Amino acid sequence: DGAGFDTRYLKTSVTDLGVLFKTTDTNVYMTEPFKFNYQTRPELYAVLVKKSGAALPTGSFTATATMQVYYN
């Protein structure tokens, strides 16, 4: 599921906190396909994103995702 404040980000157990996946130079949104060539596999990073103006609590959080890869 997408984060409540923006469905492009992965939902976490903390309201107003999401996870953005990205490569070195491209954001990888959950709502859009991401194409890549297996010979030049991208490095994927997870970046925490909070809703603008939100005050986040301290402590731990969880998030779960399943990545599906299709090939031709």
Side-chain angles (χ1 to χ4, degrees):
D1 287 340
F5 64 96
D6 193 325
T7 58
R8 296 176 300 172
Y9 308 133
L10 177 65
K11 181 181 178 179
T12 70
S13 59
V14 174
T15 302
D16 298 334
L17 178 66
V19 180
L20 165 65
F21 295 99
K22 62 186 308 167
T23 66
T24 306
D25 58 358
T26 305
N27 290 342
V28 180
Y29 297 120
M30 291 185 30
T31 56
E32 301 170 10
F34 174 69
K35 295 182 180 182
F36 66 94
N37 184 317
Y38 76 94
Q39 294 174 334
T40 55
R41 292 177 296 222
E43 293 184 21
L44 290 176
Y45 303 93
V47 180
L48 297 178
V49 180
K50 75 170 190 160
K51 181 179 178 180
S52 180
L56 298 176
T58 59
S60 61
F61 69 93
T62 60
T64 304
T66 300
M67 180 181 292
Q68 294 180 346
V69 178
Y70 299 96
Y71 63 93
N72 290 332

